[in-house]
């Protein structure tokens, strides 16, 4: 029987391996064993989005997933969005719009927004609100977050246009 | 954070059914199969469930995967490990069962839909879930495999009571089959009373076969306010074979509210939910008829 194993997966573009126990959640392992503190745990039940990461390009709540099942996957966290010192346009947009106070929820919102814009480069207010209904901001920076999404969408579109 | 429900268990990932049955058939109720794991994780974190072993189904291969039409085009087969997002993105589902994408719109959030599986959702037995009543209204069936062989069950027959299913120890749902009925229309109404993303106070799945304004045949399934999703057969009988009109709708709503005794909870009293049922059964039928046969 097995309550401990070595998992091998890709983390922000780098191949990694780690010994994990059966009960460890993904957010626990990222924070404690990989020192990646951008993925946060708040509600612990899939509702707030603070712990959002991508597994094989799909956003998931890392509080609801056991680290065991990361074996063989491709994981991206907020730490993997910037390109060296150059922030992702969505990150820049959140700063420009001042879309946070304490910042606890911010990485989760940024991850969800980046994914939304990759599917839908020009979302309506309704589409943005609908997609972000599963993310909670206790400081209630919602109006600024809406602004940030629009700034990010405009940035992404202008980058797309500039490409040959 | 340390949680007692998340302590002291094994995870196994069998790659054949025989191996899975061997691992599941221990007589220990703390040994459970795991699909997407979203419901199990919530139960483990709230210490409603303390596993000794989780048997992941994800390596079981073909019988649990895939989504496609039968050769004769009469059925759609949905492997139990399809996630909600896979259904939501499937062009086949969109063309045959547009009700599913519409239901997904108000179901959980994208992160949960990316993980939660069709089979786990069917086997969970929580009467508040949105999809079981929909599959019932569509006449869905599940294929179940177990140590003593294989059987097929109507989705309706999966449920015995509150969180109670008819699945025996070691039995696994491998797939859902839904008949394609081009001349039927269906809708699901999730009636929430506190916040748009709350669990429903009542859920109402209806499918109808219409000829003009006449109801040839129909299914009405009520969920959330009862211990399991339930067909409202008295209301169906009132409506079957008749022309939709105000008097008939009133008669049907009377039958619907008389045939079930709804439960009071923090989403509303029995009286309030009965009132909601009356209103929403009428509205949903009117909408389905006017969509199909505009006046
Ligand atoms: C934040 C959040 C919001 C949610 N909102 C909604 C909502 O709005 N509407 C809604 O309907 N639901 C909602 N849900 C519930 C969600 O639909 C269920 O958690 C999910 O469907 C369960 O699927 P799973 O694959 O994760 O199941 P699991 O957790 O893997 O399993 C659930 C149960 O089924 C058993 N099981 C799993 N697979 C099989 C199988 N193939 N054969 C036999 N038994 C099996 C398990 O042993 C367990 O008892 C929400 C959940 C979360 C976390
Ligand atoms: S901590 Fe995971 S969704 Fe809230
Ligand atoms: S900025 Fe504080 S929770 Fe959102």
């Amino acid at each position: 029987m097995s309550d401990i194993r070595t998992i091998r997966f890709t983390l922000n573009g780098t191949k990694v391996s780690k010994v994990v126990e059966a009960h460890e959640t993904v957010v626990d392992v990222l924070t404690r064993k990989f020192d990646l503190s951008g993925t946060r745990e708040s509600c612990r039940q899939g509702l707030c989005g603070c712990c959002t990461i991508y597994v094989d390009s799909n956003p998931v709540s890392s509080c609801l997933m056991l680290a065991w099942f990361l074996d063989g996957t491709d994981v991206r966290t907020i730490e993997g969005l910037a390109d060296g010192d150059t922030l992702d346009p969505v990150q820049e947009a959140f700063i420009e719009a001042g879309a946070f106070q304490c910042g606890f929820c911010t990485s989760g919102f940024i991850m969800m927004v980046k994914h939304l814009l990759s599917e839908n480069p020009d979302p309506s207010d309704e589409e943005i609100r609908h997609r972000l209904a599963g993310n909670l901001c206790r400081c209630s920076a919602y109006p600024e977050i809406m602004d940030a999404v629009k700034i990010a969408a405009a940035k992404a579109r202008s980058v797309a246009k500039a490409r040959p | 954070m340390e949680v007692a429900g998340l302590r002291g268990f094994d995870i196994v990932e069998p790659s054949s059914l025989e191996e899975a049955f061997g691992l599941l058939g221990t007589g220990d109720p703390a040994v459970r199969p795991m699909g997407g794991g979203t419901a199990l994780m919530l139960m483990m974190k709230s210490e409603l469930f303390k596993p000794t072993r989780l048997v992941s189904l994800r390596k079981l291969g073909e019988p649990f995967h895939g989504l496609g039409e039968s050769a004769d085009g009469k059925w759609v087969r949905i492997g139990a490990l399809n996630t909600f997002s896979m259904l939501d993105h499937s062009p086949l589902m969109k063309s045959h069962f547009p009700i599913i994408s519409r239901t997904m719109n108000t179901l959980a959030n994208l992160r949960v839909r990316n993980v939660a599986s069709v089979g786990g959702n069917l086997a969970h037995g929580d009467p508040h879930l949105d999809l079981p009543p929909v599959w019932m209204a569509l006449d869905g069936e599940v294929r179940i495999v177990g140590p003593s062989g294989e059987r097929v069950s109507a989705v309706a027959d999966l449920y015995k009571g509150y969180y109670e299913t008819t699945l025996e120890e070691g039995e696994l749902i491998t797939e859902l089959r839904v008949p394609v009925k081009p001349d039927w229309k269906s809708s699901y109404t999730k009636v929430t009373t506190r916040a748009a993303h709350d669990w429903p106070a009542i859920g109402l799945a209806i499918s109808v076969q219409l000829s003009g304004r006449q109801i040839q045949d129909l299914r009405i399934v009520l969920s959330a306010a009862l211990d399991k999703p339930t067909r409202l057969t008295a209301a169906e009988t009132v409506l079957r074979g008749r022309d939709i009109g105000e008097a008939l709708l009133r008669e049907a709503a009377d039958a619907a509210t008389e045939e079930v005794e709804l439960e009071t909870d923090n989403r509303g009293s029995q009286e309030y939910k009965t009132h909601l049922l009356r209103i929403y059964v009428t509205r949903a039928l009117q909408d389905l008829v006017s969509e199909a046969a505009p006046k």
Side-chain angles (χ1 to χ4, degrees):
Chain A
M1 290 299 110
S2 32
D3 58 5
I4 186 160
R5 75 172 289 188
T6 303
I7 53 169
R8 292 184 173 76
F9 63 105
T10 305
L11 178 57
N12 296 327
T14 307
K15 288 200 184 324
V16 295
S17 67
K18 199 62 86 182
V19 174
V20 299
E21 292 177 66
H23 68 266
E24 288 183 290
T25 60
V26 172
V27 61
D28 271 347
V29 167
L30 290 173
T31 327
R32 293 193 202 162
K33 297 192 166 167
F34 287 98
D35 258 340
L36 293 176
S37 56
T39 306
R40 279 88 183 251
E41 185 163 47
S42 176
C43 74
R44 303 164 61 239
Q45 44 184 332
L47 293 168
C48 75
C50 289
C51 68
T52 304
I53 60 164
Y54 304 155
V55 175
D56 296 331
S57 307
N58 296 314
V60 306
S61 283
S62 60
C63 67
L64 284 187
M65 185 174 180
L66 293 172
W68 194 276
F69 299 112
L70 285 184
D71 189 58
T73 63
D74 183 7
V75 174
R76 197 119 83 107
T77 69
I78 186 78
E79 288 86 354
L81 290 200
D83 180 6
D85 284 341
T86 313
L87 291 181
D88 187 271
V90 181
Q91 291 175 305
E92 278 174 5
F94 269 69
I95 296 172
E96 270 173 46
F100 42 78
Q101 288 179 44
C102 75
F104 196 82
C105 67
T106 312
S107 36
F109 270 100
I110 289 175
M111 295 295 276
M112 290 301 285
V113 170
K114 183 166 171 66
H115 183 266
L116 168 65
L117 296 180
S118 73
E119 287 185 343
N120 179 353
D122 192 12
S124 66
D125 282 16
E126 181 53 34
E127 286 166 329
I128 300 170
R129 278 199 204 98
H130 180 67
R131 178 60 68 86
L132 297 181
N135 286 66
L136 302 180
C137 171
R138 277 160 234 263
C139 301
S140 210
Y142 297 113
E144 293 80 8
I145 292 170
M146 290 297 289
D147 295 343
V149 182
K150 291 188 187 147
I151 295 172
K155 278 182 195 285
R157 284 197 303 272
S158 72
V159 170
K161 249 195 225 138
R163 261 189 221 127
Chain B
M1 200 181 296
E2 296 298 329
V3 182
L6 284 179
R7 269 278 161 209
F9 60 88
D10 294 330
I11 298 176
V12 283
E13 301 184 70
S15 52
S16 74
L17 280 175
E18 295 63 40
E19 200 189 331
F21 298 146
L23 290 162
L24 286 164
T26 58
D28 177 358
V31 173
R32 290 251 195 120
M34 186 174 209
T38 60
L40 285 171
M41 287 295 282
L42 289 186
M43 291 195 295
M44 283 150 62
K45 289 184 169 206
S46 57
E47 301 189 14
L48 287 170
F49 172 55
K50 293 188 186 181
T52 51
R53 179 188 295 162
L54 295 175
V55 181
S56 166
L57 305 180
R58 66 175 193 157
K59 298 209 168 137
L60 280 177
E62 186 270 324
F64 292 83
H65 293 275
L67 198 172
E69 232 169 345
S70 63
D72 61 7
K74 290 188 173 157
W75 293 85
V76 169
R77 173 196 171 278
I78 304 167
L81 285 180
N82 275 279
T83 63
F84 291 178
S85 290
M86 288 172 178
L87 297 194
D88 200 13
H89 290 144
S90 154
L92 185 69
M93 293 300 292
K94 277 210 173 74
S95 73
H96 289 323
F97 310 111
I99 185 180
I100 297 301
S101 275
R102 290 200 300 260
T103 302
M104 290 301 172
N105 246 326
T106 58
L107 198 159
N109 56 53
L110 179 69
R111 296 181 307 273
V112 172
R113 294 196 297 274
N114 281 339
V115 177
S117 72
V118 171
N121 180 260
L122 281 163
H124 190 37
D126 177 342
H128 299 93
L129 297 180
D130 294 306
L131 286 174
V134 172
W135 300 130
M136 278 170 66
L138 296 175
D139 284 342
E141 290 181 352
V142 285
R143 180 170 162 249
I144 298 166
V145 296
S148 52
E150 178 183 327
R151 64 189 177 96
V152 171
S153 163
V155 171
D157 297 331
L158 266 181
Y159 304 110
K160 249 198 316 216
Y162 195 68
Y163 281 94
E164 248 191 299
T165 70
T166 51
L167 291 169
E168 303 283 343
E169 187 194 84
E171 281 195 324
L172 297 171
I173 297 173
T174 58
E175 67 182 45
L176 171 71
R177 298 173 187 162
V178 191
V180 177
K181 300 182 188 175
D183 56 339
W184 287 61
K185 291 237 163 308
S186 45
S187 72
Y188 175 68
T189 316
K190 175 175 189 161
V191 184
T192 54
T193 52
R194 300 185 303 189
H197 285 77
D198 189 15
W199 292 104
I202 64 171
L204 198 58
I206 303 184
S207 61
V208 287
Q209 182 189 34
L210 290 162
S211 138
R213 297 184 66 78
Q214 192 185 61
I215 298 186
Q216 301 293 309
D217 199 0
L218 80 165
R219 310 279 180 270
I220 304 179
V221 186
L222 175 68
S223 63
L226 299 165
D227 65 346
K228 58 178 185 176
T230 304
R231 281 268 297 268
L232 301 183
T233 48
E236 289 178 10
T237 306
V238 165
L239 292 158
R240 199 170 279 118
R242 296 175 65 188
D243 277 10
I244 282 280
E246 265 176 44
L248 181 70
L249 283 171
R250 225 173 295 125
E251 210 186 311
D254 285 341
T257 51
E258 272 159 33
E259 71 182 294
V260 284
E261 196 162 318
L262 305 184
E263 283 156 17
T264 294
D265 61 20
N266 53 13
R267 285 174 204 90
S269 64
Q270 185 188 49
E271 294 72 32
Y272 180 51
K273 288 189 194 175
T274 305
H275 179 66
L276 292 176
L277 173 59
R278 171 176 291 283
I279 290 177
Y280 283 98
V281 88
T282 310
R283 217 178 265 176
L285 285 162
Q286 270 167 341
D287 288 350
L288 281 166
V289 172
S290 53
E291 191 191 317
K295 264 190 208 171

